[in-house]
């Protein structure tokens, strides 16, 4: 049996079930956009792949539960037309320039540029193979690392939108992890911990489980910090020492979870080792802290946490 090759599709103006209308010389996009303005991504080409094994190049205009609308070039001249493709006839949408846009976005780290790109694409999260979630996750990551509570809250909102609307299962899972991290950053730790406990009890997704364990460890570390502040003489209190030790061990176990069980996951493993070293140093366990830093530098020297571990060891040598 011969496989039918995909062929380009030229849709006539009287075609059904497509609704078309002529739109000569459509206005071009402005040079810049207000941050996160919901502007259709007219500047980037797309290819619509249809269930009848044809495809149609164009520029995506909008996507709703019923139709995918795109701008196409007509056969002659510079005239353009807008088509409405019923979603049940659509297989997927190819975005040829997506990777180039993403590389530019990650290369600059420009928050405003990322906001503009997210604003252009956020309405297309549900489009099959859309890069919208990828753009949004990168933008949310920049917001989360800003140290500004309002921007961190916005990161949580973006992650929640991706988690709800994206076509991409992996992106939804990553967005959930990002939302929980943003909740921690914005002081909504109780909700994050409650969800993390649920995940830890039921999830089989390693990435989600790692994040849940980290959140629970982070919560225990914060509880320990508060406990030590309230009990400065805990060593002399036979009832306080077990509480301190339990919080310390729970936090360390959670931080080391990815290193011990998913060691090939370099970034979360290095993060956990560094968090464990920080906690040990704060509790006066310098020997343990140095051991964790040595492990980090020996196994994950290429991660961003290696520099922190190196600085810590240098500072201890000077003391």
């Amino acid at each position: 049996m011969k496989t039918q090759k995909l062929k380009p599709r030229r849709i006539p103006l009287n075609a059904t079930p497509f609704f078309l209308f002529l739109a000569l010389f459509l206005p071009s996009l402005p040079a810049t956009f207000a941050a996160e303005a919901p502007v259709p991504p007219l500047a980037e080409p797309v290819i619509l792949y249809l269930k009848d094994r044809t495809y149609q190049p164009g520029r995506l205009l909008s996507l709703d539960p019923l139709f995918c609308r795109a701008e196409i070039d007509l056969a002659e001249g510079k005239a353009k037309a807008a088509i409405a493709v019923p979603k049940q006839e659509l297989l997927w949408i190819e975005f040829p320039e997506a990777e180039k846009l993403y590389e530019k976005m990650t290369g600059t780290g420009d928050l405003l540029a990322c906001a503009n790109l997210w604003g252009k694409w956020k309405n297309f999260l549900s489009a099959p193979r859309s890069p919208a979630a990828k753009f949004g996750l990168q933008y949310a990551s920049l917001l989360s690392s800003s140290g500004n509570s309002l921007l961190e809250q916005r990161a949580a909102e973006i992650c929640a939108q991706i988690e709800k609307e994206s076509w991409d299962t992996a992106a939804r899972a990553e967005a959930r992890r990002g939302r929980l991290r943003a909740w921690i950053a914005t002081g909504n730790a109780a909700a994050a911990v409650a969800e993390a406990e649920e995940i830890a009890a039921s999830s089989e997704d390693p990435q989600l489980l790692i994040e849940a364990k980290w959140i629970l460890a982070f919560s225990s570390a914060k509880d320990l910090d508060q406990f030590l502040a309230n009990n400065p003489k805990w060593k002399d209190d036979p009832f306080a020492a077990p509480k301190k030790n339990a919080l310390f061990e729970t936090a360390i176990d959670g931080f080391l979870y990815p290193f011990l069980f998913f060691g090939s996951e370099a970034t979360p493993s290095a993060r956990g080792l560094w968090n464990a070293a920080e906690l040990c140093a704060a509790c006066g366990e310098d020997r343990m802290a140095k051991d964790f830093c040595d492990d980090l530098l020996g196994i994950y020297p290429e991660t961003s946490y290696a520099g922190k571990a190196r600085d810590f060891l240098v500072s201890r040598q000077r003391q």
Side-chain angles (χ1 to χ4, degrees), residues 2 21 46 81 84 103 110 128 160-162 183 192 219 255-256 272 292:
K2 293 184 178 180
F21 63 91
V46 296
E103 289 175 1
D110 185 327
Q161 184 177 355
I162 294 170
W183 278 3
S219 176
F255 285 143
L256 296 182
F292 289 139

Side-chain angles (χ1 to χ4, degrees), residues 2 29 48 88 117 123-124 138 144 154 168 186 195 216 254 283 299 301:
K2 293 184 178 180
L29 288 176
L48 307 181
Q88 67 266 24
L117 195 56
N123 289 340
F124 302 99
Q138 173 63 17
S144 294
R154 182 61 188 135
D168 186 346
T186 55
E195 189 165 341
L216 295 173
C283 293
I299 304 173

Side-chain angles (χ1 to χ4, degrees), residues 11-243:
I11 304 175
L13 290 178
N14 62 354
T16 56
F18 300 106
F19 167 75
L20 301 92
F21 63 91
L22 189 61
L24 298 176
F25 308 107
L26 291 177
S28 61
L29 288 176
T32 57
F33 302 94
E36 298 191 42
V39 180
L42 297 177
E44 289 80 34
V46 296
I47 304 173
L48 307 181
Y49 286 86
L50 309 172
K51 290 182 179 178
D52 65 359
R53 300 189 64 79
T54 63
Y55 65 89
Q56 174 62 56
R59 299 175 187 276
L60 189 61
L61 294 175
S62 66
L63 188 74
D64 59 46
L66 296 179
F67 292 99
C68 171
R69 293 176 172 81
E71 177 194 72
I72 64 170
D73 295 323
L74 297 180
E76 301 294 338
K78 296 182 179 180
K80 301 179 186 298
I83 62 172
V85 182
K87 284 189 70 176
Q88 67 266 24
E89 295 195 5
L90 187 66
L91 279 176
W92 71 80
I93 306 173
E94 198 71 36
F95 300 85
E97 302 296 323
E99 195 59 37
K100 186 185 299 183
L101 287 169
Y102 182 74
E103 289 175 1
K104 183 178 180 181
M105 180 184 190
T106 55
T108 62
D110 185 327
L111 194 60
L112 181 59
C114 292
N116 289 337
L117 195 56
W118 168 244
K120 292 176 67 179
W121 286 95
K122 63 184 178 182
N123 289 340
F124 302 99
L125 280 165
S126 64
R129 302 197 184 186
S130 163
K134 192 174 183 179
F135 295 155
L137 289 169
Q138 173 63 17
Y139 178 40
S141 176
L142 290 175
L143 292 172
S144 294
S145 60
S146 67
N148 181 296
S149 59
L150 293 178
L151 297 184
E152 289 166 347
Q153 177 59 42
R154 182 61 188 135
E157 294 168 357
I158 291 170
C159 287
Q161 184 177 355
I162 294 170
E163 188 180 354
K164 179 181 178 182
E165 300 178 18
S166 176
W167 65 274
D168 186 346
T169 302
R172 292 200 302 272
E174 186 176 346
R176 188 180 189 185
R177 297 192 296 271
R179 173 173 57 80
L180 294 179
R181 288 194 297 270
W183 278 3
I184 290 287
T186 55
N188 196 8
V193 168
E195 189 165 341
E197 288 174 342
E198 178 185 336
I199 292 168
S202 61
S203 178
E204 296 181 359
D205 179 350
Q207 294 286 344
L208 202 53
L209 188 56
I210 285 171
E211 203 62 37
K213 294 285 189 180
W214 181 85
I215 287 171
L216 295 173
F218 182 85
S219 176
S220 293
K222 288 192 68 175
D223 290 344
L224 175 58
D225 184 63
Q226 186 62 52
F227 176 85
L228 293 176
N230 294 338
N231 299 272
K233 297 183 179 181
W234 65 270
K235 290 182 180 180
D236 302 324
D237 186 342
F239 298 101
K243 174 68 172 178

Side-chain angles (χ1 to χ4, degrees), residues 235-308:
K235 290 182 180 180
D236 302 324
D237 186 342
F239 298 101
K243 174 68 172 178
K244 178 266 178 187
N245 293 334
L247 289 171
F248 179 80
E249 291 170 7
T250 300
I252 292 295
D253 288 347
F255 285 143
L256 296 182
Y257 179 80
F259 173 62
L260 296 175
F261 297 98
F262 299 94
S264 61
E265 298 289 339
T267 298
S269 295
R271 178 185 66 178
L273 283 168
W274 171 243
N275 291 150
E278 283 186 305
L279 182 60
C280 288
C283 293
E285 301 287 350
D286 270 22
R287 183 63 265 168
M288 289 180 66
K290 290 176 182 178
D291 288 343
F292 289 139
C293 286
D294 286 337
D295 287 339
L296 200 168
L297 289 170
I299 304 173
Y300 309 108
E302 303 302 320
T303 64
S304 61
Y305 297 95
K308 298 177 184 292

